[in-house]
Amino acid sequence: MISCDYAKQQFSAYLDNGLSAAEQTELEYHLSNCKTCSSEYAQIVFLHQRLHNLTTVNTSPQFDQILRTRIMHDNSVNGNSRFILKNLYLGIAGVTTLAAVTFFTLTTINEPSVNSPGISVHNAQTVSSSNRSLHQVDAQPKLASDTQEQDSLKLPTKPVDQSKIHLVGQDQK
Amino acid sequence: MTSVIENIQQGQTVTDEQLIARFQQGDNYAFDLLVKRYKDPLLNFVFRFLGNTTEAEDVVQETFLRLFKNKHYYKEIAKFSTWIYTIAGNLAKTELRKRKRKKFFSIHQHAPEDRDFELPDKEATPDEVTDSQITDQIIQEAINKLSPKFKEVIILRDIQGFSYEEISEIINVPLGTIKSRVNRARLKLQDDLKSLMPVNQ
């Protein structure tokens, strides 16, 4: 005869018709001769039936509505995050472009222009100032010659003829 | 291909696999039918696992939400029922782990469940109803004490009525292990519930 421990291991399989014919015969023989195992097996059967007949629970009446809301909310959240991500990419692209354009513009403006020999006196001040800024960057010692250059561009002052000056009070006299 | 509604109108039984196929093609009515079919069985499975209807309902909601979002992950190599139970079981186990962490960090006990046993049997007398509710509660407490690996197999086998092969698919564990776990879970429950057992059995 099989041992009680071995019989216990077979209970589930016996209950679920999972034993071979030989195993089934062995167990049935043991159960008919062992009161303890027979009682234990009866309890397993009772428990199995009791579990099967446990009170069932049902979903709340709002279950479908809540589910629908959650699905819609989930979709809208996903939609919003996609929208935010798309805008973020566009924003980054825009800022990068703007920075590139600004950098290009600034470097182009500050670049030293090729000095043509015939610069008119009319533009002298502008040229002079742009040259000065360049010189400030390039080398300080050139400042002295810059001053001379600026001075040379000044027209010589004519002496004033004192006899041609008529003061307001003198004509009436 | 005829629509799900046409099949139902013609009195034909639409299988779960047909419904999920229709849903994968964009037919949301098929999704509604799957929810209708599975919401209560799944709730009972998760409720027995967690022992709390509110949390169980939330897990079932999350299961259907996952189904809605990941419908294309389902392949017809598996039965739809095993697939949806796998999702629900995994979510329930995650919930159980979260609860353990919460318990670890909090001294507060969970509030007693108030909706667990509110379904009186119309044919039973008040005394019988009370007895039945108390018995159910005692059994549920014994189930709660089982470790998750024993709990899930006993729920799937004895309460939900799945075959060993189906349980093996759902929890992705070999058949022999499932059989062994079911046997051990039954013996453990039988030992814990001696007080409920009829005398002279």
Side-chain angles (χ1 to χ4, degrees):
Chain A
M1 194 167 85
I2 57 171
S3 69
C4 290
D5 281 346
Y6 185 74
K8 274 190 178 182
Q9 286 173 24
Q10 307 283 68
F11 280 174
S12 266
Y14 182 60
L15 184 66
D16 297 323
N17 297 319
L19 292 180
S20 67
E23 288 170 329
Q24 196 172 322
T25 311
E26 271 184 337
L27 183 66
E28 282 171 355
Y29 179 74
H30 180 88
L31 291 175
S32 60
N33 289 290
C34 177
K35 276 193 175 180
T36 314
C37 283
S38 177
S39 171
E40 297 260 314
Y41 180 70
Q43 289 177 2
I44 293 279
V45 173
F46 172 80
L47 179 72
H48 175 72
Q49 288 166 350
R50 196 69 191 79
L51 286 172
H52 191 69
N53 295 321
L54 275 177
T55 316
T56 55
V57 286
N58 296 315
T59 49
S60 62
Q62 304 85 19
F63 184 89
D64 291 357
Q65 187 53 46
I66 295 168
L67 180 62
R68 226 175 288 277
T69 310
R70 282 183 74 171
I71 288 169
M72 281 168 66
H73 174 74
D74 193 66
N75 279 345
S76 72
V77 167
N78 283 345
N80 281 343
S81 58
R82 274 199 295 272
F83 178 75
I84 290 165
L85 209 62
K86 193 180 167 187
N87 281 353
L88 188 70
Y89 288 146
L90 282 175
I92 291 168
V95 168
T96 313
T97 312
L98 195 68
V101 167
T102 312
F103 178 75
F104 178 76
T105 313
L106 285 173
T107 49
T108 310
I109 288 171
N110 288 336
E111 217 168 66
S113 57
V114 179
N115 286 335
S116 56
I119 295 173
S120 63
V121 176
H122 195 68
N123 290 333
Q125 188 62 35
T126 321
V127 172
S128 166
S129 63
S130 72
N131 280 346
R132 195 189 312 145
S133 65
L134 279 172
H135 291 158
Q136 280 169 351
V137 174
D138 290 343
Q140 287 294 330
K142 287 189 178 177
L143 282 171
S145 62
D146 272 355
T147 320
Q148 282 173 1
E149 191 183 340
Q150 280 183 11
D151 288 346
S152 70
L153 289 168
K154 287 179 185 170
L155 293 172
T157 50
K158 288 178 182 178
V160 180
D161 189 355
Q162 294 290 333
S163 62
K164 287 181 181 177
I165 296 172
H166 297 286
L167 298 172
V168 177
Q170 282 175 345
D171 283 346
Q172 287 174 349
K173 286 177 186 177
Chain B
M1 187 187 256
T2 54
S3 76
V4 171
I5 301 170
E6 282 170 3
N7 280 347
I8 291 166
Q9 283 171 347
Q10 288 163 12
Q12 294 172 1
T13 310
V14 185
T15 64
D16 297 339
E17 288 68 31
Q18 285 173 318
L19 285 176
I20 184 69
R22 291 294 311 177
F23 177 47
Q24 284 173 332
Q25 288 163 14
D27 185 352
N28 283 350
Y29 181 67
F31 174 75
D32 287 345
L33 288 179
L34 285 170
V35 171
K36 197 176 173 187
R37 273 186 195 181
Y38 280 93
K39 62 180 181 181
D40 286 331
L42 282 179
L43 181 74
N44 279 281
F45 167 54
V46 180
F47 164 64
R48 293 295 164 198
F49 204 87
L50 299 176
N52 178 301
T53 42
T54 312
E55 284 178 1
E57 194 160 303
D58 201 46
V59 166
V60 176
Q61 290 262 349
E62 186 61 31
T63 306
F64 286 121
L65 200 62
R66 298 274 172 107
L67 166 65
F68 193 88
K69 284 195 289 187
N70 306 314
K71 59 184 172 186
H72 293 294
Y73 284 100
Y74 172 76
K75 306 288 175 207
E76 220 179 325
I77 48 170
K79 273 177 78 179
F80 175 78
S81 59
T82 56
W83 188 64
I84 196 84
Y85 268 84
T86 305
I87 299 173
N90 288 339
L91 288 169
K93 276 183 254 180
T94 308
E95 187 61 34
L96 216 56
R97 280 196 291 271
K98 274 189 207 169
R99 193 194 283 178
K100 271 187 181 176
R101 278 201 295 272
K102 268 186 207 169
K103 260 190 177 176
F104 184 77
F105 288 111
S106 169
I107 54 164
H108 297 291
Q109 292 295 314
H110 286 275
E113 181 54 49
D114 54 354
R115 255 187 62 202
D116 287 359
F117 307 102
E118 287 178 350
L119 303 164
D121 182 355
K122 285 176 186 169
E123 291 174 10
T125 64
D127 284 349
E128 284 168 344
V129 168
T130 312
D131 284 350
S132 170
Q133 286 176 347
I134 292 168
T135 308
D136 276 10
Q137 197 162 358
I138 293 168
I139 292 172
Q140 183 59 49
E141 280 166 10
I143 294 170
N144 291 346
K145 282 183 200 166
L146 293 173
S147 68
K149 67 179 181 181
F150 292 128
K151 198 188 284 187
E152 68 182 342
V153 291
I154 200 74
I155 295 169
L156 289 168
R157 178 73 195 124
D158 283 352
I159 301 175
Q160 299 274 313
F162 279 99
S163 69
Y164 285 112
E165 288 77 11
E166 285 170 327
I167 299 169
S168 172
E169 262 184 54
I170 290 169
I171 61 175
N172 197 24
V173 166
L175 194 60
T177 313
I178 299 295
K179 285 180 179 176
S180 162
R181 283 184 189 176
V182 169
N183 191 48
R184 287 177 66 185
R186 280 174 178 166
L187 290 172
K188 178 83 175 69
L189 280 181
Q190 180 240 341
D191 195 41
D192 285 355
L193 297 169
K194 288 262 187 216
S195 60
L196 291 182
M197 299 298 172
V199 187
N200 299 326
Q201 281 277 354

